[in-house]
Amino acid sequence: MNIQEYISSGIIESYVLGLASAEERIEFEQMCAQYPELVEARNNFELAVEAQARRNASFPPADLKEKIWAAIKETDSSNTPKIITMEPTTRRSSGWGWVAAASIILFLVAGYFAFTYYNQTKELKNSNDELRARVDRTDSVLNKMAEEQKIMSDPNVTVVNMVGTQKGSPSSANIYWDSTSANVYLIVKNMPKLPSDKQYQLWSIINGQNGQLQPNSLGLFDIGEDQKVILKMSNVKKADAFAITIENRGNTGGPNLQQLQSMGKAKL
């Protein structure tokens, strides 16, 4: 049994206020013998009720003590029984004191159940928020899949398969290049995560005159936990090949060809 759920069930208040059934009282006392935290919770509630009752208790009139002693002295001197006349307000005040104490007890119980209900409502709201977050994440994944499918099925899009250039390198990605709009999309399939001071960089390459390669940066990017992501890179109208290198974060110079990770030839 979850003892915290048992404590939150209201059994402590029912037991202390005498509202529990005989079976519930027996079970509660057996549970107290097993769980010290239950005893502590019961004691705390009893102390809270007692403190509230004391704060709202009615006291007898200040001159009542003198009246009683005066009546006793008169009885001793005359040996005649005396009837002590008590102020009617004393009895009424005592009665109202018990009513006030009972009201405080009911107020405490109502407050406790309201607090318990608030906590349960808060837990339910947190559960709903968590469920909503999961739904949002699922929608995000589905939207990415739909976007990827749309790009892949476009007849104007050329697919460039990027393969690893380093020995034993697992790096792989696909370039989706729209020949009409010049849009370039990069879909990472398998690329290792880099240190925080490094980034991947995508390049378009043109075979220039005299066989010289002319690289053009299409943007730096990072790889997170989710490997298969669609990245919109810079547009390019002409390219003979695409390449990915590892560069220092924020690189503004040319490509470090010693860190060439993958490459693919364009088919246009």
Side-chain angles (χ1 to χ4, degrees):
M1 174 182 292
N2 188 320
I3 189 61
Q4 293 302 324
E5 291 182 358
Y6 185 70
I7 291 174
S8 302
S9 67
I11 185 61
I12 294 176
E13 293 72 22
S14 297
Y15 180 87
V16 173
L17 299 176
L19 303 176
S21 65
E23 293 79 6
E24 289 175 334
R25 293 182 67 84
I26 293 173
E27 180 188 28
F28 180 80
E29 291 166 358
Q30 290 174 346
M31 295 289 287
C32 284
Q34 299 179 40
Y35 299 98
E37 57 266 46
L38 183 59
V39 177
E40 182 182 359
R42 182 197 64 195
N43 292 339
N44 290 340
F45 183 73
E46 289 175 342
L47 291 173
V49 172
E50 182 179 351
Q52 285 290 346
R54 286 180 177 177
R55 282 196 294 269
N56 292 274
S58 298
F59 296 95
D63 61 344
L64 179 60
K65 181 178 179 180
E66 286 73 13
K67 288 184 179 182
I68 294 175
W69 280 112
I72 292 174
K73 290 178 180 179
E74 290 179 12
T75 301
D76 291 340
S77 60
S78 63
N79 292 324
T80 303
K82 295 289 185 179
I83 298 175
I84 301 174
T85 303
M86 307 294 289
E87 293 293 336
T89 56
T90 301
R91 192 161 51 246
R92 288 199 301 270
S93 297
S94 177
W96 283 111
W98 281 108
V99 171
S103 299
I104 293 300
I105 292 173
L106 291 175
F107 174 78
L108 284 173
V109 174
Y112 175 82
F113 283 115
F115 178 74
T116 301
Y117 174 75
Y118 168 78
N119 283 339
Q120 292 174 345
T121 303
K122 185 177 181 181
E123 291 176 359
L124 182 59
K125 180 180 181 299
N126 291 338
S127 298
N128 289 338
D129 290 343
E130 182 179 355
L131 179 59
R132 187 177 297 109
R134 290 181 180 178
V135 171
D136 290 341
R137 288 194 296 268
T138 302
D139 286 344
S140 177
V141 172
L142 292 175
N143 289 336
K144 288 181 179 179
M145 292 175 62
E147 181 181 0
E148 180 180 348
Q149 184 62 34
K150 180 180 178 181
I151 294 172
M152 294 174 63
S153 60
D154 191 331
N156 295 318
V157 170
T158 297
V159 181
V160 180
N161 186 29
M162 308 283 288
V163 296
T165 57
Q166 301 288 339
K167 185 176 181 180
S169 173
S171 297
S172 62
N174 282 342
I175 297 292
Y176 291 84
W177 182 20
D178 191 331
S179 58
T180 56
S181 65
N183 288 332
V184 176
Y185 297 91
L186 171 66
I187 296 183
V188 176
K189 294 191 292 184
N190 185 14
M191 301 189 75
K193 191 174 181 180
L194 298 177
S196 59
D197 62 335
K198 300 291 183 180
Q199 283 183 295
Y200 288 105
Q201 190 161 7
L202 176 65
W203 306 86
S204 63
I205 299 175
I206 297 176
N207 292 321
Q209 294 179 354
N210 302 324
Q212 292 184 346
L213 300 180
Q214 298 177 2
N216 175 45
S217 175
L218 300 184
L220 293 154
F221 62 95
D222 296 300
I223 296 298
E225 297 299 330
D226 183 9
Q227 283 284 316
K228 195 169 184 180
V229 293
I230 301 176
L231 301 175
K232 175 65 176 69
M233 310 304 291
S234 298
N235 290 4
V236 66
K237 292 184 178 180
K238 185 178 180 181
D240 295 312
F242 293 91
I244 296 176
T245 60
I246 296 177
E247 308 290 345
N248 292 328
R249 179 167 291 276
N251 177 51
T252 56
N256 181 0
L257 296 180
Q258 293 182 349
Q259 292 296 324
L260 181 63
Q261 298 299 300
S262 59
M263 191 170 181
K265 292 184 178 181
K267 297 179 181 179
L268 289 181

